[in-house]
Each structure stands twice: as C-alpha cells, then as structure tokens.
Amino acid sequence: NISYIRFHETNRTFGSTNAIGVSLEDPDGNIFTSENLSVLKNISDEIEGLHNVQNVDSLTSIDYVCSEDDSIVAAQLISSDLFTEDESGRQFFSGTQKDIDEIKLKIKSWNEMYERFIVSENNDAAQVMITFDADVTEDDGTVHPITTAERETLLRSVEDVVERNTKGTKLA
C-alpha cells in the first residue's frame, strides 16, 4: 500500500505523528505553583524514559527561543536550575514567585506557541504532549511498525506515571 509506505517514510524523515496528550488541571485555577511544576517535571522526566517515547513537550521540557548576544538561541522555557533533586531522585521546583512570574511572561510573549498547546488560556491547566515511535527496533535489530499492543502498553505506562505522580496532590 503506497500511502502506508509514504506514512512511514514521512515518520522517518520528520518524526513520528503518533502522540498522546495528558492534561492536568488545578482545581484552584493556577497551574503555576511550585507543587504543580514539580509534578509536571517528574511526569515529563519519567515519560521521557519510557520505551518507544520519542519526545515529551511540557511546561518543564519545552524550549523557549530568545535572543542572546546578537544570536538566536533555544533554551528551556523553565530552566532545570530551578529544580532540585532529593535523595530519591524526585525533582522539586525551588524557584521563587519572581521566577514563576518570569515564566508566565515568557509564555505571554509567545502565546501562539504555548497557549492551548502546553498551557491553557487561563493558566488553570497544562498539557504533556508525548510523541512516540512509529517503528520499533527490537533487541536483534529488526524493525517493525508499532503494534496496537505496544501502543496500549505505552498508554498504560503513561497512565501509571501520571497516577503515581499526581497521587496526594491537587492535580489528582
């Protein structure tokens, strides 16, 4: 089937079009709290490590394009320096309210990039966008299109990560 072959060629050239979206909403209407940013960071980091995950875009992992010394550079929207790691490997947002205000200003400066993709218009929710492989490489080097069972396994893994990281928080 020619369209099937073109689909896989496009995925190899431009990246996968297979995606999972996870939305997290704060019942108090503010996704920009230390606790919520910590939860988002841990979810994003864990999902990045799952088998077949190609890319994760979230508030804590997406790039911010800006100018620096007469050059255009891409840096993280939220610097990893604003997180500290405890002895168990969990990340905690250690930034100040000033840091949160600066993050909001960055988002506002490029609304068309972030709003309704990574953060809701009224800042009460955030989304984690997960792109996963269209093709799976086995241990022996063989490659095959991702199966329905492999997609379902990935989805269950994502659900487990989200449930474990939101348990006991407002985002639960």
Side-chain angles (χ1 to χ4, degrees):
N1 183 326
I2 298 219
S3 63
Y4 179 79
I5 292 168
R6 283 191 182 149
F7 171 76
H8 283 284
E9 286 174 355
T10 300
N11 280 335
R12 282 187 203 94
T13 304
F14 296 104
S16 175
T17 57
N18 294 313
I20 299 170
V22 175
S23 295
L24 301 166
E25 186 174 356
D26 183 303
D28 295 335
N30 182 15
I31 200 69
F32 291 100
T33 67
S34 295
E35 179 183 50
N36 292 343
L37 293 173
S38 300
V39 169
L40 283 164
K41 174 75 170 154
N42 286 301
I43 287 172
S44 298
D45 288 356
E46 276 192 59
I47 290 173
E48 281 179 354
L50 294 178
H51 186 62
N52 295 326
V53 169
Q54 198 175 78
N55 187 52
V56 176
D57 284 323
S58 75
L59 277 172
T60 61
S61 66
I62 199 165
D63 285 340
Y64 176 72
V65 178
C66 57
S67 63
E68 184 177 290
D69 299 327
D70 296 327
S71 298
I72 295 176
V73 296
Q76 286 183 302
L77 175 66
I78 302 176
S79 171
S80 56
D81 294 345
L82 294 175
F83 292 91
T84 56
E85 187 174 307
D86 70 7
E87 62 281 347
S88 70
R90 296 199 45 79
Q91 298 285 320
F92 292 92
F93 184 80
S94 54
T96 63
Q97 184 59 49
K98 182 182 178 202
D99 293 319
I100 290 174
D101 292 341
E102 287 177 13
I103 294 164
K104 288 178 175 179
L105 282 174
K106 287 179 182 179
I107 291 170
K108 193 172 189 87
S109 74
W110 205 3
N111 262 356
E112 58 275 1
M113 173 65 178
Y114 303 110
E115 202 170 88
R116 294 186 177 168
F117 173 63
I118 295 299
V119 65
S120 64
E121 194 172 355
N122 60 358
N123 294 335
D124 68 340
Q127 181 165 251
V128 179
M129 287 301 299
I130 304 139
T131 308
F132 58 93
D133 297 324
D135 294 321
V136 175
T137 304
E138 298 295 338
D139 292 337
D140 65 4
T142 60
V143 178
H144 66 84
I146 193 166
T147 65
T148 300
E150 288 166 326
R151 274 185 263 208
E152 288 173 1
T153 298
L154 177 59
L155 183 57
R156 280 193 301 280
S157 296
V158 168
E159 288 171 342
D160 289 345
V161 167
V162 171
E163 184 177 319
R164 188 170 59 267
N165 283 283
T166 58
K167 188 175 185 176
T169 73
K170 287 190 282 182
L171 299 177

